[in-house]
Amino acid sequence: MSHTDVERPDAGSSEVSAGEALLVEPSRLSPTRRALTTVLRSRELSIFLVLVAVVVLATSKNNSFLFSADGWRNFLLNPSILLLLAVGQAVVIITRNVDLSVGSVMALTAYLTGRLFIDQPGIPVVAVIAACLALGAVLGLVNGVLVAYGNVPALVITLGTLYIYRGIMLTWAGSDRINAGDLPSGFLSLGTQTFLTIPLLTIVAIVVLAAVGYYLHTARGGRELYAIGSDPDAAVLYGLSVRRRLLAAFVLSGALAGLAGALYTARYGTVSSNVGLGIELQAVAAAVIGGIAIFGGSGTVWGAAIGAFLLVTINRALPSLGIEDFWQRAVVGVLILGAIVLDRVLATRQARRLAESRDHA
Amino acid sequence: MSTSTSTGAGTAAPARTYDAYSAPLWRRLLLTRETAVIALTAAVILYSIANVPNFDGPLTLKFLLQDIAPILLIALPMTLVIITGEIDLSVASIMGLSSVLLGVLHENGMSVSAAAMLALLAGLACGALNGFLIAYVGLPSLAVTIGTLALFRGIAVGLLGTKAITDFTEKWTDLATDTIGETQVPLVMIPFAVLAVGFVVLLHFSTFGRGVYDIGLNDEAAHFTGVDVARTKLVLFVLSGVVSALAGIYFTLRFGSARGDNATGYELQVIAAVLLGGVSIFGGRGRLHGVLAGVVLIGVISSALRLESVTVNVTNIIVGLLLVASVILPNVLAATSSRFSRKPAAPPEPRPHQDAAPAGVGTTKGSDS
């Protein structure tokens, strides 16, 4: 959806057909046509259609998959937490980094949520969520500082903090676990409350998604994230404040993981030692399926969000389709491989088309 | 060996190469990442023997070696893979898949040895799929192996569900836990050590190994000097698959239990050990003796802390801190020493981003419109 390709002023004389002109000069088309072609050509649409197909298939086998109060609620509610993580992950991957520590950050804030309610009876829910956001942001800041100032790739740093944060959480928690009984019912109801049949958690996730998506698409800071991911050295030479942007991306990812931890506790009511174990790979997978190139510079958070929906929905759909849900991960693996192969094919085709239209001009 | 040390370790960071050559021999030998890791490992071992009760007890060595054996095995091909600038996240899933295949085939009446052969073949096929997609289709290895991590684990869990198969013949489970004579060294360490020597020869004393470093430093240049880049990568991923399957078989027989979720999360442990041992994630730099020390270091820390009845959590924190410190410290030291020395400042280390994505160049363009 986002055009990172620079328009060439000298290209595209009037003889160039509409299809070729579109590739080099989208701005020559009317806004409506441009919006339409952007949507039709987007990676997000293809993954969205896969999601629709899965939902239609599962619903045709079992009506209550979507058309029951529970089915509808689960469809929206289950992906919300992964969606938050995938949005944060997407922003980090766009800068050509990765944040493997999100699962551990989520575990820490999930435990913090329970701890606060136990140790400070009567603490307002808003304060707890703010504390989780703050803790997540601080943990993200640590990642960001190490990555931006240590000259070390994010993969190594966040692999290290994945262990450190998880270790801190487990040491802090010791052998006790948080149960639903420890939590105020007002907080737990947050996890199930709905507004116009839409679960509150989903609304939170969608609001975050819209805000981050809008920022990435339009704001200067957002566009700079793409620039940094496309060519980090060029971004430095151009004078972008690369370090500050990287810090911001990691802080956002950490804060969203912190929020996800609070919401996790609200949704499930229990916090054990394996909260969020391995979810970092799911978040990366959602982003990859959603069309975010693992080496930065392209993709949208909308895609990552649809990817998160697809991952979670497939898991629930398989039993309705008569397949044991043990096979869910295999299906997810095939999807990821399919998505990156498709990426490759589209990229090659586009490169060829661009070369052709350049030669014609 | 020492000449290839300098070239292997030096070419990635030109700033250090010149220093390394002009420095006296003792400095060249002592001031490498590998030496630091080995020294640290030795220090931790000595400290544990002196201070941790029962660390020098008869069973510690046996359990220590049994615990690190699978990580040690997979770290061998992983080192080569990372030196070429790629990564393999699917190793633990291949372990799980080979474990399940071993169990299912044996349950259906096949002998353990025949089932193990087929499990190894499956590992070879898994590695070939990774290698084909990465080397010949040109896809980024991080993305491919996240996909096959899910795929291979999915097949393993799909085949067996949450069941566990435990009725292996005692002959085989005993073989996995037997020790050599009166010592406490597990019998399987002999073939594993032979394999390790094989990898040392392959990486440090063969043309193939030279090519592995060349690819990590600059794969285009490697191509023009006659290295078959694609074939080398394919071979490495196949090796990684086969060795992971072997580790999976060992894991299964040692615990006498084949499960779909066996060894979940091992990939991160292996990668942590390899990076701790001084292998650069950008490729082109690293040595196997450092990696072996890294694996042993993590194993000794875990085992000593367990004897002190410190929980596994503290181990996690320590491993994480070691990993972060080991990659940050050299940069900090280089920055400080160039600030305080009277010599002209050394050129900066290659920026992380430059070499991070050799395979991704083609895929990043235009895929978002």
Side-chain angles (χ1 to χ4, degrees), chain A residues 6 220 223-224 227-228 231-242:
Chain A
V6 178
R220 181 188 175 96
R223 303 316 300 168
E224 287 189 6
I228 293 168
D231 193 335
D233 295 322
V236 173
L237 285 178
Y238 191 71
L240 301 187
S241 42
V242 174

mmCIF file with all atom_site columns, all heavy atoms in Angstrom, chain A residues 6 220 223-224 227-228 231-242:
data_model
loop_
_atom_site.group_PDB
_atom_site.id
_atom_site.type_symbol
_atom_site.label_atom_id
_atom_site.label_alt_id
_atom_site.label_comp_id
_atom_site.label_asym_id
_atom_site.label_entity_id
_atom_site.label_seq_id
_atom_site.pdbx_PDB_ins_code
_atom_site.Cartn_x
_atom_site.Cartn_y
_atom_site.Cartn_z
_atom_site.occupancy
_atom_site.B_iso_or_equiv
_atom_site.pdbx_formal_charge
_atom_site.auth_seq_id
_atom_site.auth_comp_id
_atom_site.auth_asym_id
_atom_site.auth_atom_id
_atom_site.pdbx_PDB_model_num
ATOM 1   N N   . VAL A 1 6   ? 10.580 5.574  -5.638 1.00 0.00 ? 6   VAL A N   1
ATOM 2   C CA  . VAL A 1 6   ? 10.649 6.994  -5.942 1.00 0.00 ? 6   VAL A CA  1
ATOM 3   C C   . VAL A 1 6   ? 10.140 7.205  -7.367 1.00 0.00 ? 6   VAL A C   1
ATOM 4   O O   . VAL A 1 6   ? 10.481 6.459  -8.278 1.00 0.00 ? 6   VAL A O   1
ATOM 5   C CB  . VAL A 1 6   ? 12.103 7.493  -5.833 1.00 0.00 ? 6   VAL A CB  1
ATOM 6   C CG1 . VAL A 1 6   ? 12.179 8.963  -6.186 1.00 0.00 ? 6   VAL A CG1 1
ATOM 7   C CG2 . VAL A 1 6   ? 12.622 7.236  -4.446 1.00 0.00 ? 6   VAL A CG2 1
ATOM 8   N N   . ARG A 1 220 ? 5.825  11.811 9.093  1.00 0.00 ? 220 ARG A N   1
ATOM 9   C CA  . ARG A 1 220 ? 7.224  11.837 8.688  1.00 0.00 ? 220 ARG A CA  1
ATOM 10  C C   . ARG A 1 220 ? 8.013  10.725 9.393  1.00 0.00 ? 220 ARG A C   1
ATOM 11  O O   . ARG A 1 220 ? 8.783  9.993  8.763  1.00 0.00 ? 220 ARG A O   1
ATOM 12  C CB  . ARG A 1 220 ? 7.812  13.198 9.044  1.00 0.00 ? 220 ARG A CB  1
ATOM 13  C CG  . ARG A 1 220 ? 9.250  13.301 8.632  1.00 0.00 ? 220 ARG A CG  1
ATOM 14  C CD  . ARG A 1 220 ? 9.889  14.560 9.159  1.00 0.00 ? 220 ARG A CD  1
ATOM 15  N NE  . ARG A 1 220 ? 11.294 14.499 8.818  1.00 0.00 ? 220 ARG A NE  1
ATOM 16  C CZ  . ARG A 1 220 ? 11.788 15.072 7.740  1.00 0.00 ? 220 ARG A CZ  1
ATOM 17  N NH1 . ARG A 1 220 ? 11.011 15.755 6.934  1.00 0.00 ? 220 ARG A NH1 1
ATOM 18  N NH2 . ARG A 1 220 ? 13.069 14.965 7.448  1.00 0.00 ? 220 ARG A NH2 1
ATOM 19  N N   . ARG A 1 223 ? 7.347  7.357  7.834  1.00 0.00 ? 223 ARG A N   1
ATOM 20  C CA  . ARG A 1 223 ? 8.012  7.162  6.538  1.00 0.00 ? 223 ARG A CA  1
ATOM 21  C C   . ARG A 1 223 ? 9.508  6.947  6.741  1.00 0.00 ? 223 ARG A C   1
ATOM 22  O O   . ARG A 1 223 ? 10.150 6.191  6.008  1.00 0.00 ? 223 ARG A O   1
ATOM 23  C CB  . ARG A 1 223 ? 7.780  8.350  5.602  1.00 0.00 ? 223 ARG A CB  1
ATOM 24  C CG  . ARG A 1 223 ? 6.340  8.692  5.315  1.00 0.00 ? 223 ARG A CG  1
ATOM 25  C CD  . ARG A 1 223 ? 5.482  7.517  5.030  1.00 0.00 ? 223 ARG A CD  1
ATOM 26  N NE  . ARG A 1 223 ? 5.887  6.698  3.875  1.00 0.00 ? 223 ARG A NE  1
ATOM 27  C CZ  . ARG A 1 223 ? 5.391  5.515  3.607  1.00 0.00 ? 223 ARG A CZ  1
ATOM 28  N NH1 . ARG A 1 223 ? 4.492  4.966  4.408  1.00 0.00 ? 223 ARG A NH1 1
ATOM 29  N NH2 . ARG A 1 223 ? 5.795  4.844  2.564  1.00 0.00 ? 223 ARG A NH2 1
ATOM 30  N N   . GLU A 1 224 ? 10.062 7.623  7.744  1.00 0.00 ? 224 GLU A N   1
ATOM 31  C CA  . GLU A 1 224 ? 11.502 7.451  8.000  1.00 0.00 ? 224 GLU A CA  1
ATOM 32  C C   . GLU A 1 224 ? 11.821 6.023  8.431  1.00 0.00 ? 224 GLU A C   1
ATOM 33  O O   . GLU A 1 224 ? 12.896 5.501  8.129  1.00 0.00 ? 224 GLU A O   1
ATOM 34  C CB  . GLU A 1 224 ? 11.982 8.456  9.049  1.00 0.00 ? 224 GLU A CB  1
ATOM 35  C CG  . GLU A 1 224 ? 12.051 9.867  8.496  1.00 0.00 ? 224 GLU A CG  1
ATOM 36  C CD  . GLU A 1 224 ? 12.723 10.852 9.424  1.00 0.00 ? 224 GLU A CD  1
ATOM 37  O OE1 . GLU A 1 224 ? 13.250 10.434 10.483 1.00 0.00 ? 224 GLU A OE1 1
ATOM 38  O OE2 . GLU A 1 224 ? 12.705 12.041 9.109  1.00 0.00 ? 224 GLU A OE2 1
ATOM 39  N N   . ALA A 1 227 ? 12.315 4.215  5.396  1.00 0.00 ? 227 ALA A N   1
ATOM 40  C CA  . ALA A 1 227 ? 13.574 4.612  4.769  1.00 0.00 ? 227 ALA A CA  1
ATOM 41  C C   . ALA A 1 227 ? 14.749 3.920  5.447  1.00 0.00 ? 227 ALA A C   1
ATOM 42  O O   . ALA A 1 227 ? 15.668 3.422  4.791  1.00 0.00 ? 227 ALA A O   1
ATOM 43  C CB  . ALA A 1 227 ? 13.732 6.122  4.839  1.00 0.00 ? 227 ALA A CB  1
ATOM 44  N N   . ILE A 1 228 ? 14.687 3.882  6.784  1.00 0.00 ? 228 ILE A N   1
ATOM 45  C CA  . ILE A 1 228 ? 15.773 3.241  7.529  1.00 0.00 ? 228 ILE A CA  1
ATOM 46  C C   . ILE A 1 228 ? 15.860 1.766  7.167  1.00 0.00 ? 228 ILE A C   1
ATOM 47  O O   . ILE A 1 228 ? 16.945 1.225  6.943  1.00 0.00 ? 228 ILE A O   1
ATOM 48  C CB  . ILE A 1 228 ? 15.552 3.422  9.049  1.00 0.00 ? 228 ILE A CB  1
ATOM 49  C CG1 . ILE A 1 228 ? 15.692 4.892  9.420  1.00 0.00 ? 228 ILE A CG1 1
ATOM 50  C CG2 . ILE A 1 228 ? 16.516 2.563  9.845  1.00 0.00 ? 228 ILE A CG2 1
ATOM 51  C CD1 . ILE A 1 228 ? 15.207 5.205  10.816 1.00 0.00 ? 228 ILE A CD1 1
ATOM 52  N N   . ASP A 1 231 ? 17.301 1.117  3.456  1.00 0.00 ? 231 ASP A N   1
ATOM 53  C CA  . ASP A 1 231 ? 18.739 1.283  3.291  1.00 0.00 ? 231 ASP A CA  1
ATOM 54  C C   . ASP A 1 231 ? 19.296 2.054  4.482  1.00 0.00 ? 231 ASP A C   1
ATOM 55  O O   . ASP A 1 231 ? 19.331 3.284  4.469  1.00 0.00 ? 231 ASP A O   1
ATOM 56  C CB  . ASP A 1 231 ? 19.033 2.027  1.983  1.00 0.00 ? 231 ASP A CB  1
ATOM 57  C CG  . ASP A 1 231 ? 20.511 1.930  1.624  1.00 0.00 ? 231 ASP A CG  1
ATOM 58  O OD1 . ASP A 1 231 ? 21.318 1.739  2.550  1.00 0.00 ? 231 ASP A OD1 1
ATOM 59  O OD2 . ASP A 1 231 ? 20.840 2.049  0.436  1.00 0.00 ? 231 ASP A OD2 1
ATOM 60  N N   . PRO A 1 232 ? 19.706 1.339  5.509  1.00 0.00 ? 232 PRO A N   1
ATOM 61  C CA  . PRO A 1 232 ? 20.150 1.993  6.748  1.00 0.00 ? 232 PRO A CA  1
ATOM 62  C C   . PRO A 1 232 ? 21.290 2.977  6.519  1.00 0.00 ? 232 PRO A C   1
ATOM 63  O O   . PRO A 1 232 ? 21.292 4.064  7.105  1.00 0.00 ? 232 PRO A O   1
ATOM 64  C CB  . PRO A 1 232 ? 20.614 0.828  7.621  1.00 0.00 ? 232 PRO A CB  1
ATOM 65  C CG  . PRO A 1 232 ? 19.975 -0.367 7.052  1.00 0.00 ? 232 PRO A CG  1
ATOM 66  C CD  . PRO A 1 232 ? 19.785 -0.116 5.595  1.00 0.00 ? 232 PRO A CD  1
ATOM 67  N N   . ASP A 1 233 ? 22.231 2.612  5.654  1.00 0.00 ? 233 ASP A N   1
ATOM 68  C CA  . ASP A 1 233 ? 23.385 3.489  5.463  1.00 0.00 ? 233 ASP A CA  1
ATOM 69  C C   . ASP A 1 233 ? 22.966 4.777  4.770  1.00 0.00 ? 233 ASP A C   1
ATOM 70  O O   . ASP A 1 233 ? 23.414 5.868  5.129  1.00 0.00 ? 233 ASP A O   1
ATOM 71  C CB  . ASP A 1 233 ? 24.452 2.777  4.638  1.00 0.00 ? 233 ASP A CB  1
ATOM 72  C CG  . ASP A 1 233 ? 24.992 1.585  5.387  1.00 0.00 ? 233 ASP A CG  1
ATOM 73  O OD1 . ASP A 1 233 ? 25.145 1.713  6.617  1.00 0.00 ? 233 ASP A OD1 1
ATOM 74  O OD2 . ASP A 1 233 ? 25.223 0.540  4.778  1.00 0.00 ? 233 ASP A OD2 1
ATOM 75  N N   . ALA A 1 234 ? 22.070 4.637  3.763  1.00 0.00 ? 234 ALA A N   1
ATOM 76  C CA  . ALA A 1 234 ? 21.581 5.825  3.080  1.00 0.00 ? 234 ALA A CA  1
ATOM 77  C C   . ALA A 1 234 ? 20.835 6.716  4.070  1.00 0.00 ? 234 ALA A C   1
ATOM 78  O O   . ALA A 1 234 ? 20.956 7.939  4.024  1.00 0.00 ? 234 ALA A O   1
ATOM 79  C CB  . ALA A 1 234 ? 20.665 5.425  1.931  1.00 0.00 ? 234 ALA A CB  1
ATOM 80  N N   . ALA A 1 235 ? 20.084 6.090  4.978  1.00 0.00 ? 235 ALA A N   1
ATOM 81  C CA  . ALA A 1 235 ? 19.332 6.874  5.954  1.00 0.00 ? 235 ALA A CA  1
ATOM 82  C C   . ALA A 1 235 ? 20.274 7.686  6.829  1.00 0.00 ? 235 ALA A C   1
ATOM 83  O O   . ALA A 1 235 ? 20.023 8.851  7.133  1.00 0.00 ? 235 ALA A O   1
ATOM 84  C CB  . ALA A 1 235 ? 18.463 5.955  6.811  1.00 0.00 ? 235 ALA A CB  1
ATOM 85  N N   . VAL A 1 236 ? 21.410 7.078  7.214  1.00 0.00 ? 236 VAL A N   1
ATOM 86  C CA  . VAL A 1 236 ? 22.399 7.801  8.018  1.00 0.00 ? 236 VAL A CA  1
ATOM 87  C C   . VAL A 1 236 ? 22.975 8.953  7.219  1.00 0.00 ? 236 VAL A C   1
ATOM 88  O O   . VAL A 1 236 ? 23.037 10.101 7.681  1.00 0.00 ? 236 VAL A O   1
ATOM 89  C CB  . VAL A 1 236 ? 23.535 6.851  8.472  1.00 0.00 ? 236 VAL A CB  1
ATOM 90  C CG1 . VAL A 1 236 ? 24.630 7.637  9.162  1.00 0.00 ? 236 VAL A CG1 1
ATOM 91  C CG2 . VAL A 1 236 ? 22.979 5.772  9.398  1.00 0.00 ? 236 VAL A CG2 1
ATOM 92  N N   . LEU A 1 237 ? 23.369 8.651  5.972  1.00 0.00 ? 237 LEU A N   1
ATOM 93  C CA  . LEU A 1 237 ? 23.973 9.680  5.134  1.00 0.00 ? 237 LEU A CA  1
ATOM 94  C C   . LEU A 1 237 ? 23.003 10.836 4.888  1.00 0.00 ? 237 LEU A C   1
ATOM 95  O O   . LEU A 1 237 ? 23.385 11.994 4.836  1.00 0.00 ? 237 LEU A O   1
ATOM 96  C CB  . LEU A 1 237 ? 24.387 9.082  3.784  1.00 0.00 ? 237 LEU A CB  1
ATOM 97  C CG  . LEU A 1 237 ? 25.622 8.208  3.801  1.00 0.00 ? 237 LEU A CG  1
ATOM 98  C CD1 . LEU A 1 237 ? 25.891 7.646  2.427  1.00 0.00 ? 237 LEU A CD1 1
ATOM 99  C CD2 . LEU A 1 237 ? 26.814 9.023  4.295  1.00 0.00 ? 237 LEU A CD2 1
ATOM 100 N N   . TYR A 1 238 ? 21.723 10.492 4.756  1.00 0.00 ? 238 TYR A N   1
ATOM 101 C CA  . TYR A 1 238 ? 20.724 11.509 4.479  1.00 0.00 ? 238 TYR A CA  1
ATOM 102 C C   . TYR A 1 238 ? 20.469 12.374 5.705  1.00 0.00 ? 238 TYR A C   1
ATOM 103 O O   . TYR A 1 238 ? 19.851 13.422 5.610  1.00 0.00 ? 238 TYR A O   1
ATOM 104 C CB  . TYR A 1 238 ? 19.430 10.825 4.034  1.00 0.00 ? 238 TYR A CB  1
ATOM 105 C CG  . TYR A 1 238 ? 18.417 11.768 3.479  1.00 0.00 ? 238 TYR A CG  1
ATOM 106 C CD1 . TYR A 1 238 ? 18.614 12.367 2.237  1.00 0.00 ? 238 TYR A CD1 1
ATOM 107 C CD2 . TYR A 1 238 ? 17.263 12.080 4.194  1.00 0.00 ? 238 TYR A CD2 1
ATOM 108 C CE1 . TYR A 1 238 ? 17.686 13.238 1.723  1.00 0.00 ? 238 TYR A CE1 1
ATOM 109 C CE2 . TYR A 1 238 ? 16.329 12.954 3.678  1.00 0.00 ? 238 TYR A CE2 1
ATOM 110 C CZ  . TYR A 1 238 ? 16.547 13.529 2.443  1.00 0.00 ? 238 TYR A CZ  1
ATOM 111 O OH  . TYR A 1 238 ? 15.635 14.402 1.934  1.00 0.00 ? 238 TYR A OH  1
ATOM 112 N N   . GLY A 1 239 ? 20.941 11.916 6.847  1.00 0.00 ? 239 GLY A N   1
ATOM 113 C CA  . GLY A 1 239 ? 20.809 12.719 8.054  1.00 0.00 ? 239 GLY A CA  1
ATOM 114 C C   . GLY A 1 239 ? 19.585 12.408 8.889  1.00 0.00 ? 239 GLY A C   1
ATOM 115 O O   . GLY A 1 239 ? 19.211 13.186 9.756  1.00 0.00 ? 239 GLY A O   1
ATOM 116 N N   . LEU A 1 240 ? 18.948 11.268 8.615  1.00 0.00 ? 240 LEU A N   1
ATOM 117 C CA  . LEU A 1 240 ? 17.816 10.887 9.463  1.00 0.00 ? 240 LEU A CA  1
ATOM 118 C C   . LEU A 1 240 ? 18.347 10.516 10.845 1.00 0.00 ? 240 LEU A C   1
ATOM 119 O O   . LEU A 1 240 ? 19.450 9.983  10.976 1.00 0.00 ? 240 LEU A O   1
ATOM 120 C CB  . LEU A 1 240 ? 17.081 9.686  8.868  1.00 0.00 ? 240 LEU A CB  1
ATOM 121 C CG  . LEU A 1 240 ? 16.508 9.855  7.461  1.00 0.00 ? 240 LEU A CG  1
ATOM 122 C CD1 . LEU A 1 240 ? 15.683 8.639  7.096  1.00 0.00 ? 240 LEU A CD1 1
ATOM 123 C CD2 . LEU A 1 240 ? 15.654 11.108 7.382  1.00 0.00 ? 240 LEU A CD2 1
ATOM 124 N N   . SER A 1 241 ? 17.536 10.789 11.860 1.00 0.00 ? 241 SER A N   1
ATOM 125 C CA  . SER A 1 241 ? 17.969 10.427 13.207 1.00 0.00 ? 241 SER A CA  1
ATOM 126 C C   . SER A 1 241 ? 17.650 8.955  13.432 1.00 0.00 ? 241 SER A C   1
ATOM 127 O O   . SER A 1 241 ? 16.671 8.604  14.076 1.00 0.00 ? 241 SER A O   1
ATOM 128 C CB  . SER A 1 241 ? 17.285 11.298 14.249 1.00 0.00 ? 241 SER A CB  1
ATOM 129 O OG  . SER A 1 241 ? 15.932 11.461 13.920 1.00 0.00 ? 241 SER A OG  1
ATOM 130 N N   . VAL A 1 242 ? 18.522 8.108  12.868 1.00 0.00 ? 242 VAL A N   1
ATOM 131 C CA  . VAL A 1 242 ? 18.268 6.677  12.852 1.00 0.00 ? 242 VAL A CA  1
ATOM 132 C C   . VAL A 1 242 ? 18.143 6.107  14.263 1.00 0.00 ? 242 VAL A C   1
ATOM 133 O O   . VAL A 1 242 ? 17.227 5.351  14.569 1.00 0.00 ? 242 VAL A O   1
ATOM 134 C CB  . VAL A 1 242 ? 19.391 5.956  12.082 1.00 0.00 ? 242 VAL A CB  1
ATOM 135 C CG1 . VAL A 1 242 ? 19.218 4.456  12.183 1.00 0.00 ? 242 VAL A CG1 1
ATOM 136 C CG2 . VAL A 1 242 ? 19.393 6.391  10.638 1.00 0.00 ? 242 VAL A CG2 1
#
